[in-house]
Amino acid sequence: MSVTARDIARELGLSPAAVSMALNNRPGVSAATRKLVYDTAEKLGYDLSRHLTQTSGTGSIYFICVQTSSAIFSYAPIFDEILRGAVQECQATPYRMKVQQFYAQQDTLEQQISDLRVSDCTGIILLGTEMNQDVALAFLSLRIPVIVVDSNVEPLDCSCVVINNAQGAYLATDYLISRRLAQPGYLKSFVPLRNFDERWEGFQKALRANGMHAAHSIVHTLAPTIEGAMTEMLEVLDRGDPLANCYFAENDLIAIGAMKAFKQRGYRIPEDIAIVGFDNISEGQVMEPALTTVNIPRTYMGRVAVRCLINAIQDGVPHHIKVEVSTDLVIRSSVVRSSHTP
């Protein structure tokens, strides 16, 4: 026989009414009692899903940023754009938006999950750029709707809104080859991310489409920040390592840092070396020359994530979905200097 709320009440010595209030997130019981009821229900094998997927249009959507490396999240504007879109979309709904940051190196994951179980959380948008599968599994275990943003967590079965990284990298690399007529090099982050892996795949696909092989591309592994990439590229230059005629960088921060290093050592951009980035951050627009890059509609991604989440909360979904948002190339002057550029 399945476990009932009365079984939980009997186990804890509480009234069935108190257990019902706790399970249905209603006022009248303390946070400590609510947590005790949830923990006991889970231990006894009670089906919590009926209570964790409320469809009344009340409660809060939690926007949770998972951070494991200060290197990537050090550039906050990128992630602020996703949050901005999510907040904008949430304003037209009966749900409140709450923002939390989870530091995988500091926070206790078990405690965070336990706190969410007894909160008013109705659904979660999980910004998972740096997230590993263990962390993702912990949040998915809550059995409430979760949408992962900016991370493809395959083979886990969950819904996500992601960038088409391979498509963007292909566009950028193909453009480099068409303008430079040379084998492009690759500026790689030393911090491994699934997004970067997918950009490498798009880079290789563009090489193959142009009759080239990745084994012939010069690769420099750099820090994924402006200062770090500049310092490490200066070391590459000072060692006299071989250089490519042009480069695709895994993000704009690396591209800008490398550009600064090249210019310090007397290289002209784009005359001597051309560079394309990925992210379309504001700093790239004010560089001299301005950085050609791949644009990501991050505000739109945040809006789509909220729409998908509310659909899952209110209607339920028989299968998880993956929404892949395409990118576009922003052509400036770091590959070919325009005729009107002084």
Side-chain angles (χ1 to χ4, degrees):
M1 294 179 60
S2 60
V3 177
T4 68
R6 288 187 177 276
D7 296 327
I8 300 170
R10 191 178 305 112
E11 175 77 11
L12 294 174
L14 296 174
S15 69
V19 170
S20 177
M21 286 187 288
L23 290 174
N24 290 288
N25 205 25
R26 292 174 184 158
V29 294
S30 67
T33 299
R34 197 184 311 277
K35 182 179 186 306
L36 181 62
V37 168
Y38 268 83
D39 289 346
T40 303
E42 191 168 55
K43 181 181 71 175
L44 295 177
Y46 179 78
D47 181 11
L48 287 165
S49 61
R50 74 191 80 172
H51 303 287
L52 294 170
T53 55
Q54 298 293 323
T55 59
S56 62
T58 61
S60 298
I61 290 174
Y62 279 57
F63 187 100
I64 300 177
C65 304
V66 178
Q67 181 174 350
T68 60
S69 167
S70 60
I72 302 300
F73 267 89
S74 63
Y75 191 81
I78 286 178
F79 308 102
D80 289 346
E81 292 174 21
I82 298 176
L83 175 59
R84 185 181 307 118
V87 169
Q88 290 172 356
E89 192 69 22
C90 199
Q91 287 173 346
T93 76
Y95 301 95
R96 297 178 295 277
M97 175 73 73
K98 294 183 179 179
V99 182
Q100 291 187 350
Q101 194 147 18
F102 171 68
Y103 297 90
Q105 305 299 330
Q106 302 172 24
D107 296 353
T108 302
L109 181 58
E110 183 178 338
Q111 183 61 51
Q112 177 123 350
I113 299 301
S114 180
D115 291 345
L116 285 170
R117 283 198 176 97
V118 297
S119 72
D120 64 342
C121 180
T122 308
I124 295 173
I125 296 175
L126 199 56
L127 182 56
T129 308
E130 300 185 353
M131 182 176 63
N132 60 41
Q133 289 192 6
D134 290 341
V135 174
L137 279 170
F139 283 100
L140 294 173
S141 72
L142 286 166
R143 288 181 287 180
I144 62 175
V146 175
I147 302 290
V148 178
V149 180
D150 199 32
S151 180
N152 187 347
V153 290
E154 293 176 348
L156 298 185
D157 186 23
C158 67
S159 295
C160 58
V161 178
V162 297
I163 306 161
N164 193 336
N165 287 291
Q167 175 250 358
Y170 183 99
L171 287 176
T173 306
D174 189 62
Y175 175 72
L176 264 180
I177 295 170
S178 70
R179 294 298 182 268
R180 304 295 289 192
L181 304 177
Q183 176 102 13
Y186 194 86
L187 301 180
K188 181 179 179 60
S189 164
F190 71 64
V191 176
L193 291 180
R194 179 66 179 264
N195 283 343
F196 292 161
D197 292 342
E198 293 170 356
R199 292 170 196 179
W200 171 247
E201 292 169 8
F203 175 80
Q204 293 181 90
K205 185 176 180 180
L207 292 183
R208 291 193 296 270
N210 285 276
M212 299 175 179
H213 196 284
H216 300 143
S217 285
I218 295 172
V219 178
H220 306 298
T221 301
L222 309 172
T225 63
I226 293 176
E227 296 78 10
M230 181 179 69
T231 298
E232 293 174 4
M233 182 52 74
L234 285 172
E235 293 174 359
V236 169
L237 295 173
D238 293 342
R239 285 197 306 265
D241 292 356
L243 300 177
N245 171 276
C246 54
Y247 288 95
F248 168 76
E250 283 187 332
N251 70 12
D252 281 356
L253 301 174
I254 294 174
I256 292 169
M259 287 174 68
K260 288 177 174 288
F262 286 132
K263 291 171 71 173
Q264 277 194 31
R265 292 298 182 261
Y267 291 91
R268 299 169 302 161
I269 299 174
E271 290 83 358
D272 299 324
I273 296 175
I275 298 182
V276 173
F278 200 115
D279 281 334
N280 193 24
I281 66 175
S282 57
E283 286 84 345
Q285 301 177 45
V286 297
M287 285 291 295
E288 173 49 43
L291 178 64
T292 295
T293 187
V294 176
N295 180 62
I296 301 167
R298 286 191 172 83
T299 301
Y300 176 72
M301 289 176 65
R303 299 184 75 106
V304 169
V306 170
R307 293 173 198 166
C308 292
L309 184 62
I310 290 177
N311 181 55
I313 293 169
Q314 296 182 342
D315 301 327
V317 289
H319 303 285
H320 290 116
I321 61 170
K322 175 182 176 182
V323 179
E324 197 168 56
V325 180
S326 62
T327 63
D328 56 278
L329 189 64
V330 180
I331 298 175
R332 298 194 182 106
S333 303
S334 63
V335 177
V336 177
R337 194 176 290 277
S338 61
S339 58
H340 57 76
T341 303

